[in-house]
Amino acid sequence: MGSSASKSHLIRWLLLASQATAGRKTRLCGTVNAGEDAAAMRRCLSQLGVRIEDEDDAWIVEGAGKNGLQRPASVLNCANSGTAFRLLSVACARMSEPVMLDGDHTLRKRGSPTFWQQLQGIGVEVSHGFDEETLPLLLQGPMGGGSISLDVSHTSQHLSALVLSMGAANDSLEVELKGELVSRRHAQLSFDLAAACGSMNTLDTAAELLTLTPFECSPPDEVMIPRDASHVA
């Protein structure tokens, strides 16, 4: 059995492809050994109304459009995937209906109340657990524009979540970066993949303030997902 598909790439491409113009299909190739994290992301997007089909060594994702995600009938269970949870939390915050996200017992201890508080400042209603287990998380948007402060010294995934979801945004967002950016390669990957879909947003690691602007998400017709050993865009 060969190495698995890079979850960093696959999870991000799943979200981008889902924001494409309604009906537009993106073929994500190299998914035959996709891991549990990517499977959790796929399952949650399917619950949100995104059509994803299997074809040989590929997943075919049909775009739902800018505002095409639908309220799921049940809780979105991200299992053990922190990446899927964080990316989906922002995607769901752009919806006008309440969505609940949860995960396994380990993910429940990896919540981000400080970030969720920032989302409240730009129009998102948030409810979550406390003490050791901060999940499940209940969100209701729609998330607006404005400005937020982001601590990037512990994780870059919230920054990734914001730039990857700008394809579903109506307003620009000013992001104040606090702390030394960790996982810089993964943050850059998010900006690069978004750029491949039409985003004009760029990552200036020396800047203390980034302005993220909306874009029309137009992913390529076909994307080759690299093996897990590769973390280069």
Side-chain angles (χ1 to χ4, degrees), residues 12-161:
R12 286 164 172 78
W13 274 119
L14 281 166
L15 180 58
L16 287 166
S18 72
Q19 296 174 92
T21 304
R24 178 170 179 167
K25 295 184 178 181
T26 304
R27 191 170 192 264
L28 305 180
C29 305
T31 59
V32 69
N33 292 325
E36 293 181 4
D37 285 14
M41 183 69 169
R42 171 178 172 164
R43 183 177 61 251
C44 289
L45 284 172
S46 295
Q47 287 180 253
L48 289 163
V50 180
R51 290 187 175 184
I52 305 175
E53 301 176 351
D54 292 293
E55 182 183 295
D56 299 326
D57 183 18
W59 291 351
I60 314 298
V61 184
E62 184 175 326
K66 183 174 182 177
N67 299 305
L69 296 184
Q70 303 169 10
R71 184 183 181 186
S74 57
V75 176
L76 299 183
N77 188 344
C78 300
N80 189 39
S81 179
T83 303
F85 175 80
R86 293 183 181 107
L87 298 192
L88 286 168
S89 64
V90 174
C92 292
R94 296 203 175 281
M95 300 171 63
S96 58
E97 296 182 288
V99 180
M100 182 172 286
L101 298 98
D102 202 358
D104 68 8
H105 69 284
T106 60
L107 188 61
R108 284 187 167 195
K109 297 179 180 179
R110 291 183 280 149
S112 307
T114 301
F115 175 64
W116 302 336
Q117 187 175 22
Q118 290 294 316
L119 292 181
Q120 288 180 298
I122 48 176
V124 183
E125 294 181 30
V126 179
S127 178
H128 60 85
F130 292 95
D131 299 324
E132 287 190 5
E133 293 193 353
T134 51
L135 302 186
L137 170 68
L138 181 64
L139 296 166
Q140 181 170 359
M143 174 178 159
S147 61
I148 66 171
S149 179
L150 200 61
D151 182 355
V152 293
S153 64
H154 298 294
T155 178
S156 65
Q157 288 184 351
H158 296 129
L159 179 59
S160 288

Side-chain angles (χ1 to χ4, degrees), residues 23 68 71 75 83-85 113 116 141 146 153 163 166 171 173 183 201-202 211 213 217-218:
R71 184 183 181 186
V75 176
T83 303
F85 175 80
W116 302 336
S153 64
V163 71
M166 291 307 293
D171 304 301
L173 183 67
S183 303
N201 296 304
T202 57
T211 299
T213 58
C217 193
S218 295

Side-chain angles (χ1 to χ4, degrees), residues 166-188:
M166 291 307 293
N170 293 314
D171 304 301
S172 297
L173 183 67
E174 285 195 343
V175 184
E176 180 187 9
L177 302 181
K178 290 190 173 182
E180 186 72 20
L181 179 64
V182 297
S183 303
R184 189 168 301 182
R185 285 189 302 176
H186 287 93
Q188 188 62 59

